[in-house]
Amino acid sequence: MQSASDDMIWEVINHQFCSFKTTIGKALSDKQHFCRHPYSVTGLCNRTSCPLANSKYATLREDDGRVHLFLKTVERAHSPKNLWEKIYLSRNYTKALAQIDEHLQYFPKVLIHRNKQRLTKIHQYLIRMRKIELKVRAGKKAKLVRVHRKVEQREERRERKALVAAKIESVLEKELTERLAKGAYGDIYNFPESPYQKALLGAEEEEEEEEDEETEVATDEEEEEMVEYVEDLDSELEEDEEEDMEDAGDYMGDGQWGARGSDDDEDDDDDDTNKEGDSDEDSKEAKKPEKKRGRRKGPRVEIEYEEEREDQHQDMVST
């Protein structure tokens, strides 16, 4: 169980400041937080591994070839002098594991597992140290290899960039799908389902694109066949307007159509011969074709004329 004081301590350490906290890596993706506290189990800066933010804690330390188990409990929190209990572990690896299980039976299982891992690492480097010392005593010079951390980090970054630039996965997937389409592996296949589904979807999309292109070409051809070119309708309208204007020139009123000179000759049979000559001249002038007017665009118009004759007017006055 984690107490309220432990949570408060972790809030301060995690979000404000901790003198044991260190960070490696400049980029956000490469940043890692480590703990330099001597009693840290894993060396990582997190909630379960922090020796300051856990009132119930256990860790292992090595001193002159001997491994010690350090225990921290709530009952001794009031006296910092006696805060850590120191227990010597056996040099035998199996007996030391048994001692850890005995003393940490009421501790969290995660903490027990971390301490066992730490004990294994300590025993491994103690064995290597003994081997190196035996070689030195035998007169053989031990070869110590330096670890170049900056060089290794630089090489790792270059490898990651090269992998991204090469796109190995996409190239391999494309090559395998091409071989699968050609039937290079026979009739029976045993491969993961997700890449197979991706390949099927890609093939279906290509077929759909080809079908869409064919349909577009067919529709374009049909549209070209449906297009026709016809004569402009304005010329017909203009001819009709010209005919209407010619008919309007022949209209004499009272619903009668014809040349005005001929009608006057019929009505004035009793007039003198001079009048007949004048009427003939008038009829000739009326028969002359009128000049065509300028073209005018617009709707068809019907024109009506009303004329009052002098003899009708005199009859109306006499009555």
Side-chain angles (χ1 to χ4, degrees), residues 9 22 52 78 85 148 218 246 253 267 273 279 285 287:
I9 291 168
T22 182
L52 301 175
H78 64 282
E85 180 183 358
H148 300 276
E246 291 176 358
D267 293 334
T273 57
S279 63
E285 292 178 357
K287 288 180 182 180

Side-chain angles (χ1 to χ4, degrees), residues 256-274:
Q256 295 179 1
W257 294 81
R260 291 183 181 179
S262 61
D263 292 337
D264 293 338
D265 293 339
E266 292 177 358
D267 293 334
D268 299 334
D269 292 332
D270 298 333
D271 293 341
D272 297 334
T273 57
N274 294 328

Side-chain angles (χ1 to χ4, degrees), residues 3 5-10 13 17-21 35 37-40 46-57 72 83-84:
S3 61
S5 61
D6 294 343
D7 294 335
M8 189 181 298
I9 291 168
W10 175 247
I13 290 171
F17 175 74
C18 179
S19 60
F20 299 104
K21 186 176 181 180
C35 182
H37 197 281
Y39 289 97
S40 178
N46 52 44
R47 181 69 178 84
T48 57
S49 301
C50 183
L52 301 175
N54 291 283
S55 57
K56 195 172 185 179
Y57 198 76
K72 176 185 175 183
L83 185 61
W84 294 92

Side-chain angles (χ1 to χ4, degrees), residues 102-306:
E102 181 183 353
H103 292 288
L104 301 181
Q105 57 182 345
Y106 300 111
F107 281 71
K109 291 184 178 180
V110 177
L111 197 59
I112 297 169
H113 181 65
R114 296 296 185 192
N115 279 282
K116 287 182 178 180
Q117 284 182 331
R118 188 174 177 84
L119 178 66
T120 305
K121 288 288 183 183
I122 290 171
H123 270 269
Q124 286 176 353
Y125 79 71
L126 286 174
I127 290 168
R128 288 198 298 271
M129 286 173 64
R130 291 192 187 100
K131 286 181 178 179
I132 291 169
E133 186 64 26
L134 289 172
K135 286 182 179 180
V136 171
R137 289 181 181 180
K140 296 179 180 180
K141 188 176 180 180
K143 185 179 180 180
L144 300 177
V145 180
R146 181 186 171 187
V147 177
H148 300 276
R149 185 172 61 84
K150 291 184 178 180
V151 176
E152 290 178 356
Q153 289 178 352
R154 185 167 61 247
E155 294 297 330
E156 288 178 359
R157 286 196 297 270
R158 287 178 179 175
E159 288 178 2
R160 286 197 296 268
K161 290 180 181 179
L163 288 173
V164 171
K167 298 180 181 179
I168 295 174
E169 292 183 358
S170 60
V171 173
L172 288 175
E173 186 177 354
K174 186 177 180 181
E175 183 68 23
L176 290 173
T177 50
E178 289 179 358
R179 291 185 182 181
L180 180 64
K182 292 178 182 178
Y185 300 107
D187 297 331
I188 300 172
Y189 305 103
N190 186 12
F191 45 81
E193 187 175 357
S194 58
Y196 179 67
Q197 294 295 334
K198 286 182 181 179
L200 287 178
L201 291 173
E204 290 177 359
E205 289 177 357
E206 290 179 358
E207 291 179 358
E208 289 178 357
E209 289 178 357
E210 291 178 357
E211 290 177 358
D212 294 337
E213 290 177 358
E214 292 178 356
T215 52
E216 287 177 0
V217 171
T219 51
D220 293 338
E221 292 178 355
E222 290 178 358
E223 289 178 357
E224 290 178 358
E225 292 177 356
M226 291 172 65
V227 174
E228 293 181 0
Y229 298 97
V230 297
E231 188 178 358
D232 191 5
L233 298 175
D234 292 339
S235 60
E236 296 180 0
L237 292 172
E238 291 172 358
E239 291 177 358
D240 294 337
E241 289 177 1
E242 291 175 359
E243 293 177 358
D244 295 336
M245 295 304 293
E246 291 176 358
D247 295 338
D250 296 335
Y251 183 74
M252 301 301 296
D254 293 337
Q256 295 179 1
W257 294 81
R260 291 183 181 179
S262 61
D263 292 337
D264 293 338
D265 293 339
E266 292 177 358
D267 293 334
D268 299 334
D269 292 332
D270 298 333
D271 293 341
D272 297 334
T273 57
N274 294 328
K275 290 183 179 179
E276 288 179 359
D278 296 336
S279 63
D280 292 335
E281 292 177 357
D282 294 336
S283 62
K284 289 179 181 178
E285 292 178 357
K287 288 180 182 180
K288 291 181 180 180
E290 296 181 358
K291 294 183 179 179
K292 292 184 179 180
R293 299 180 182 179
R295 294 183 179 180
R296 182 183 60 186
K297 294 183 179 180
R300 183 172 181 178
V301 181
E302 294 182 358
I303 301 171
E304 296 181 357
Y305 293 93
E306 293 183 0

Side-chain angles (χ1 to χ4, degrees), residues 54-73:
N54 291 283
S55 57
K56 195 172 185 179
Y57 198 76
T59 185
L60 293 173
R61 292 191 68 186
E62 181 265 329
D63 186 18
D64 294 334
R66 291 298 303 271
V67 184
H68 309 285
L69 177 63
F70 288 85
L71 301 178
K72 176 185 175 183
T73 58

Side-chain angles (χ1 to χ4, degrees), residues 89-104:
L89 296 180
S90 174
R91 292 181 181 273
N92 192 353
Y93 178 69
T94 55
K95 290 181 180 180
L97 289 175
Q99 287 176 340
I100 290 172
D101 289 331
E102 181 183 353
H103 292 288
L104 301 181

